[in-house]
Amino acid sequence: MGKLVRDLIPSIIEASGRVPRYRTLDHDEYEKALIVKLFEEAREFHDATPEGRPEELADVLEVVRALAAHLNLTDADLDTVAADKRAERGGFEQRIWLE
């Protein structure tokens, strides 16, 4: 079973003297793979040490940006949707835990 990897990974593998086996996903496969990748990266963030969290959070952000682009949303579009939702329902700044 394979997994979605960053664009330069095949080149990095080749530079190490190995031969990567890979293919380009079609539209639907790509969307499904991005969703799986989002959960994978979220798990890695969850499991990371405090020192490792910034890098793992950057990985989550990269996947979110790829998903947004896949949905034809720019970063600005996504920011607008997030701001609208924040205005309607609030953010998470107050750290409210509903019992």
Side-chain angles (χ1 to χ4, degrees), residues 20-89:
R21 289 186 48 213
Y22 64 94
R23 64 186 178 88
T24 302
L25 300 176
D26 68 27
H27 182 83
D28 292 337
E29 289 174 315
Y30 181 55
E31 184 172 316
K32 289 176 187 173
L34 281 169
I35 293 167
V36 169
K37 192 69 165 181
L38 181 60
F39 279 90
E40 175 189 327
E41 297 300 348
R43 259 189 320 276
E44 289 177 9
F45 175 81
H46 176 270
D47 295 343
T49 63
E51 298 82 16
R53 285 193 176 142
E55 187 172 328
E56 297 302 336
L57 189 57
D59 289 343
V60 171
L61 181 58
E62 191 70 25
V63 176
V64 168
R65 286 181 173 158
L67 274 164
H70 183 72
L71 297 172
N72 296 314
L73 296 170
T74 65
D75 287 348
D77 294 333
L78 192 57
D79 286 343
T80 298
V81 173
D84 291 348
K85 190 156 190 176
R86 191 177 312 108
E88 179 184 319
R89 302 188 63 108

